[in-house]
Amino acid sequence: MVEVKNICKSFEGRPVLNNINARFQTGKTNLIIGQSGSGKTVLLKSIIGLLRPESGQVLYDGTDILSLRKRELDMLRRKTGMLFQGAALFDSMTVLENVMFPLQMISTDSYSQKKKRAEFCLDRVNLTDAEHLYPSEISGGMMKRAGIARAIALNPQYLLCDEPNSGLDPKTSLLIDDLISDITKEYNMTTIINTHDMNSVLNIGETIIFIREGILEWQGSSKEIMTSGNQALNDFVFASDAFRQIRELRTSH
Amino acid sequence: MRNALHRLGQYTLLMSKTWTTPTKWSMFLRQLLREIYKLGADSLWIVIIISLFIGTVIAIQISLNISSDLIPKFTIGYTTREIILLEFSSSIMCLILAGKVGSNIASEIGTMRVTEQIDAMEIMGVNSANFLILPKITGLMLFIPVLVVFSMFLGILGGIGASYADINGMTPASFIYGLQFYFNAYYITYSIIKSVVYAFIISSIASYFGYHVHGGALEVGKASTNSVVMSSVMILLADVILTHIMLT
Ligand SMILES: Nc1ncnc2c1ncn2[C@@H]1O[C@H](COP(=O)(O)OP(=O)(O)O)[C@@H](O)[C@H]1O
Ligand SMILES: [Mg+2]
């Protein structure tokens, strides 16, 4: 379980996160939703320690990462995988080399074991055919899948995904969502996903927190989101007619 | 002024993060070879063309300017050699490389920064500065001196070529005599030492500007230009200081 307590973060005096408290549960897909610019990425980066909040705690199964020394933080990060918004694949390396990279840098296994592990991960995301291609030669959906393969290479306990289906078509989005959700169950990971895609919310959202202008506005499950009376949440979630109709269908039974 | 101090502090911190023992030597060596290869591929042609032409032009211009019979013709070869060995092949060549190689390094690292590739390394528990920057700095410090010595040969070769043009009575024989006249091997050492320092300046400053980019493609472009300006100024400054220390 990952828990954030009283997180505050500002840039040049401008508050971006204001006293966020939330729990992200093990074996579940935990969603952070909110409009663009609401502070989702900043929260995710604070959770993984790429940004340092001014105050608060980030507890990984009880360990506060903000109090860790560099070395201990590195050790914890090896148990954490992250999928970045643009996939952040190393563009000088092939897909296979990308997935091998964390293994090469961290693992003490033999080369053939590392290669086997990388190939296993690529197979898991159905990308074996593309392993010798460079990131510039593959589609956005394939990049995301390669990013997932790289994130799970070291067998992490925690998986963080920043807008895993931004820039993807609806069908590919669904595929990526399902992949993340399946992997979460398979390895019993604590998965935290940033998204503003309502399809994902209904599809894989198990626990959901809604952030608006850096303030935690609402939290609950995907069932509760349908019946919530929170005005800001409803304005965000049911901005489109389609989702309003889905709510009516679901709540009428 | 405060901004300058802030940048100096950031630069120092980045260098201390860079100069640590690589976690995986095999990966470091692979990166180092890659950097040297890239540097060679990037700059070999520039070095060849510029050195040959400038060597030729220096010899021609000196011979045009020495028309008096009182000055022996071998002075042309002698002066050409001094200019190339002392200043051209080290300082001028490195100013040119700062433009070519330095901007490449800054934009490569800057792009990795804005596309979150550096963040991706950091969250794996990898020291990104050590992995990305150390091979670049050591690669340049090892290979730029080689390019500089190569440039010396080519510059002088260009001068010899010019001496065949028979301008103002310059002959190949007098030129080559001039090349050997009062030859001081220490000048080559001096130039090589300068070039090692320049290589460090180019690679570390370009890496610094790339590593600290915020924003997008536009900022990467700006960082790359700024790094060239900054490293050129630093090269000139280092030139004055090193010349003062080593030659006076
Ligand atoms: N490094 C930074 N420096 C200054 N401001 C930042 C930085 N990162 C994010 N911000 C600001 O924080 C706010 C939230 O950004 P972000 O978390 O990226 O939003 P999103 O919810 O779309 O992911 C934005 O207004 C953004 O401009
Ligand atoms: Mg974001």
Side-chain angles (χ1 to χ4, degrees):
Chain A
M1 186 177 72
V2 176
E3 204 177 348
V4 297
K5 284 185 175 168
N6 309 78
I7 293 287
C8 295
K9 172 78 191 166
S10 56
F11 289 106
E12 286 123 29
R14 194 170 59 87
V16 172
L17 293 178
N18 203 336
N19 205 27
I20 305 280
N21 286 286
R23 281 183 178 189
F24 306 101
Q25 289 164 21
T26 309
K28 289 198 170 160
T29 45
N30 305 276
L31 266 52
I32 301 171
I33 62 172
Q35 275 184 338
S36 287
S38 57
K40 302 184 296 293
T41 301
V42 173
L43 178 57
L44 207 64
K45 287 192 174 173
S46 304
I47 291 174
I48 192 116
L50 282 172
L51 291 173
R52 209 178 163 81
E54 281 94 47
S55 62
Q57 288 179 307
V58 179
L59 303 165
Y60 279 72
D61 290 308
T63 316
D64 182 9
I65 66 155
L66 296 174
S67 66
L68 294 182
R69 272 170 301 175
K70 182 82 184 74
R71 218 186 158 70
E72 297 164 324
L73 180 63
D74 282 346
M75 296 314 286
L76 181 83
R77 280 177 169 173
R78 289 166 195 183
K79 293 190 261 176
T80 315
M82 179 155 176
L83 172 62
F84 287 85
Q85 187 162 357
L89 298 176
F90 306 126
D91 34 36
S92 60
M93 303 180 198
T94 65
V95 168
L96 180 65
E97 283 167 345
N98 262 283
V99 181
M100 289 277 285
F101 183 81
L103 297 159
Q104 296 268 50
M105 294 302 287
I106 306 296
S107 158
T108 48
D109 291 348
S110 71
Y111 181 82
S112 64
Q113 279 173 307
K114 291 180 204 166
K115 185 142 188 274
K116 230 166 103 184
R117 173 69 193 161
E119 276 169 345
F120 171 82
C121 294
L122 280 172
D123 186 48
R124 182 65 194 80
V125 300
N126 258 319
L127 215 56
T128 314
D129 295 339
E131 65 176 40
H132 294 299
L133 297 178
Y134 284 89
S136 57
E137 300 169 330
I138 60 179
S139 71
M142 289 159 97
M143 282 193 203
K144 291 287 168 77
R145 281 189 277 156
I148 294 174
R150 187 179 67 184
I152 61 171
L154 288 169
N155 225 332
Q157 284 169 254
Y158 313 96
L159 180 65
L160 281 68
C161 308
D162 194 4
E163 313 244 355
N165 41 30
S166 70
L168 300 182
D169 60 85
K171 199 173 160 199
T172 312
S173 298
L174 212 66
L175 205 115
I176 299 286
D177 280 347
D178 288 343
L179 185 60
I180 294 172
S181 162
D182 292 349
I183 288 173
T184 302
K185 299 286 175 262
E186 251 170 75
Y187 303 107
N188 196 35
M189 290 188 295
T190 307
T191 299
I192 307 175
I193 305 171
N194 266 0
T195 185
H196 56 224
D197 182 353
M198 287 318 299
N199 288 310
S200 309
V201 174
L202 300 182
N203 211 6
I204 57 166
E206 291 183 285
T207 79
I208 298 163
I209 66 171
F210 172 56
I211 293 192
R212 197 172 71 101
E213 287 166 14
I215 294 168
L216 194 144
E217 180 82 32
W218 181 88
Q219 53 186 324
S221 68
S222 70
K223 278 190 205 74
E224 286 161 351
I225 218 170
M226 286 297 168
T227 53
S228 157
N230 185 305
Q231 191 56 43
L233 179 71
N234 284 336
D235 287 349
F236 173 71
V237 175
F238 302 107
S240 89
D241 276 340
F243 285 109
R244 269 196 292 275
Q245 283 163 16
I246 292 173
R247 173 171 56 175
E248 276 152 27
L249 280 175
R250 287 209 183 172
T251 48
S252 62
H253 302 299
Chain B
M1 188 64 203
R2 251 189 72 195
N3 193 27
L5 279 178
H6 174 71
R7 283 188 167 272
L8 187 66
Q10 268 188 329
Y11 172 82
T12 315
L13 278 179
L14 182 64
M15 284 305 112
S16 65
K17 197 176 160 197
T18 302
W19 289 91
T20 47
T21 330
T23 9
K24 287 286 162 83
W25 281 101
S26 58
M27 292 294 272
F28 172 75
L29 287 174
R30 216 179 71 177
Q31 289 293 101
L32 180 64
L33 289 179
R34 218 182 66 119
E35 293 304 334
I36 290 177
Y37 174 79
K38 249 193 347 203
L39 173 62
D42 265 2
S43 50
L44 203 56
W45 280 110
I46 278 202
V47 171
I48 291 175
I49 292 169
I50 294 183
S51 307
L52 272 175
F53 275 77
I54 298 288
T56 312
V57 172
I58 289 175
I60 293 175
Q61 289 195 340
I62 293 171
S63 64
L64 286 175
N65 281 292
I66 300 181
S67 44
S68 163
D69 286 336
L70 292 174
I71 302 171
K73 290 299 167 200
F74 72 79
T75 315
I76 302 165
Y78 168 76
T79 316
T80 306
R81 181 198 79 204
E82 298 290 78
I83 292 175
I84 288 176
L85 293 197
L86 284 169
E87 214 37 41
F88 169 73
S89 286
S90 53
S91 303
I92 306 297
M93 210 62 233
C94 283
L95 280 174
I96 293 165
L97 290 179
K100 178 95 175 81
V101 182
S103 66
N104 268 358
I105 292 179
S107 56
E108 183 189 328
I109 296 185
T111 304
M112 292 190 75
R113 166 60 76 193
V114 299
T115 57
E116 300 182 311
Q117 294 176 48
I118 292 182
D119 286 342
M121 267 180 205
E122 287 292 322
I123 61 119
M124 290 169 191
V126 171
N127 178 343
S128 58
N130 176 269
F131 180 80
L132 293 172
I133 301 176
L134 192 60
K136 290 192 196 297
I137 295 183
T138 42
L140 260 65
M141 287 174 82
L142 286 172
F143 198 66
I144 282 191
V146 177
L147 286 174
V148 164
V149 171
F150 189 53
S151 157
M152 289 174 183
F153 275 107
L154 291 170
I156 289 187
L157 210 64
I160 295 175
S163 70
Y164 282 92
D166 190 23
I167 299 160
N168 264 352
M170 166 171 65
T171 62
S174 71
F175 190 87
I176 286 166
Y177 177 77
L179 285 179
Q180 295 158 330
F181 185 76
Y182 264 115
F183 176 72
N184 185 349
Y186 177 66
Y187 287 178
I188 295 183
T189 318
Y190 155 77
S191 262
I192 289 177
I193 291 175
K194 279 205 299 184
S195 71
V196 174
V197 174
Y198 298 157
F200 177 77
I201 290 174
I202 296 172
S203 53
S204 65
I205 289 182
S207 302
Y208 164 75
F209 275 91
Y211 201 83
H212 287 283
V213 173
H214 291 291
L218 195 68
E219 282 77 10
V220 174
K222 276 188 208 151
S224 145
T225 320
N226 289 344
S227 86
V228 174
V229 174
M230 179 61 94
S231 48
S232 301
V233 172
M234 287 301 153
I235 285 175
L236 295 172
L237 203 64
D239 194 14
V240 175
I241 295 171
L242 287 173
T243 305
H244 185 73
I245 294 174
M246 296 177 72
L247 292 187
T248 56

PDB file of all heavy atoms in Angstrom, chain A residues 40-41 85 162-163 194, ligand 2:
ATOM      1  N   LYS A  40      -1.982  16.326 -11.349  1.00  0.00           N
ATOM      2  CA  LYS A  40      -1.840  14.860 -11.293  1.00  0.00           C
ATOM      3  C   LYS A  40      -0.388  14.413 -11.461  1.00  0.00           C
ATOM      4  O   LYS A  40       0.119  13.605 -10.678  1.00  0.00           O
ATOM      5  CB  LYS A  40      -2.676  14.195 -12.408  1.00  0.00           C
ATOM      6  CG  LYS A  40      -4.144  14.516 -12.364  1.00  0.00           C
ATOM      7  CD  LYS A  40      -4.911  13.741 -13.423  1.00  0.00           C
ATOM      8  CE  LYS A  40      -4.537  14.094 -14.854  1.00  0.00           C
ATOM      9  NZ  LYS A  40      -4.914  15.451 -15.256  1.00  0.00           N
ATOM     10  N   THR A  41       0.273  14.968 -12.474  1.00  0.00           N
ATOM     11  CA  THR A  41       1.657  14.563 -12.712  1.00  0.00           C
ATOM     12  C   THR A  41       2.547  14.965 -11.546  1.00  0.00           C
ATOM     13  O   THR A  41       3.408  14.190 -11.110  1.00  0.00           O
ATOM     14  CB  THR A  41       2.180  15.181 -14.027  1.00  0.00           C
ATOM     15  OG1 THR A  41       1.340  14.743 -15.089  1.00  0.00           O
ATOM     16  CG2 THR A  41       3.600  14.761 -14.310  1.00  0.00           C
ATOM     17  N   GLN A  85       4.249   9.615 -19.460  1.00  0.00           N
ATOM     18  CA  GLN A  85       3.197  10.047 -20.373  1.00  0.00           C
ATOM     19  C   GLN A  85       3.593   9.843 -21.841  1.00  0.00           C
ATOM     20  O   GLN A  85       2.820   9.344 -22.629  1.00  0.00           O
ATOM     21  CB  GLN A  85       2.860  11.517 -20.106  1.00  0.00           C
ATOM     22  CG  GLN A  85       1.662  11.988 -20.893  1.00  0.00           C
ATOM     23  CD  GLN A  85       1.059  13.264 -20.332  1.00  0.00           C
ATOM     24  OE1 GLN A  85       1.505  13.784 -19.304  1.00  0.00           O
ATOM     25  NE2 GLN A  85       0.045  13.763 -20.981  1.00  0.00           N
ATOM     26  N   ASP A 162       1.583   7.475 -15.802  1.00  0.00           N
ATOM     27  CA  ASP A 162       1.117   8.843 -16.044  1.00  0.00           C
ATOM     28  C   ASP A 162       0.379   8.882 -17.376  1.00  0.00           C
ATOM     29  O   ASP A 162       0.999   8.758 -18.427  1.00  0.00           O
ATOM     30  CB  ASP A 162       2.314   9.799 -16.052  1.00  0.00           C
ATOM     31  CG  ASP A 162       1.880  11.252 -15.963  1.00  0.00           C
ATOM     32  OD1 ASP A 162       0.668  11.505 -15.819  1.00  0.00           O
ATOM     33  OD2 ASP A 162       2.759  12.128 -16.039  1.00  0.00           O
ATOM     34  N   GLU A 163      -0.898   9.067 -17.327  1.00  0.00           N
ATOM     35  CA  GLU A 163      -1.744   9.116 -18.521  1.00  0.00           C
ATOM     36  C   GLU A 163      -1.377   8.022 -19.525  1.00  0.00           C
ATOM     37  O   GLU A 163      -0.928   8.329 -20.626  1.00  0.00           O
ATOM     38  CB  GLU A 163      -1.612  10.489 -19.204  1.00  0.00           C
ATOM     39  CG  GLU A 163      -1.724  11.636 -18.218  1.00  0.00           C
ATOM     40  CD  GLU A 163      -2.934  12.518 -18.465  1.00  0.00           C
ATOM     41  OE1 GLU A 163      -3.642  12.293 -19.455  1.00  0.00           O
ATOM     42  OE2 GLU A 163      -3.180  13.403 -17.636  1.00  0.00           O
ATOM     43  N   ASN A 194      -2.596   7.927 -13.392  1.00  0.00           N
ATOM     44  CA  ASN A 194      -3.128   9.263 -13.666  1.00  0.00           C
ATOM     45  C   ASN A 194      -3.947   9.203 -14.923  1.00  0.00           C
ATOM     46  O   ASN A 194      -3.484   8.677 -15.927  1.00  0.00           O
ATOM     47  CB  ASN A 194      -1.964  10.192 -14.002  1.00  0.00           C
ATOM     48  CG  ASN A 194      -1.468  10.921 -12.802  1.00  0.00           C
ATOM     49  OD1 ASN A 194      -1.993  10.740 -11.732  1.00  0.00           O
ATOM     50  ND2 ASN A 194      -0.452  11.734 -12.992  1.00  0.00           N
TER      51      ASN A 194
HETATM   52 MG    MG C   2       0.092  15.285 -16.514  1.00  0.00          MG
END
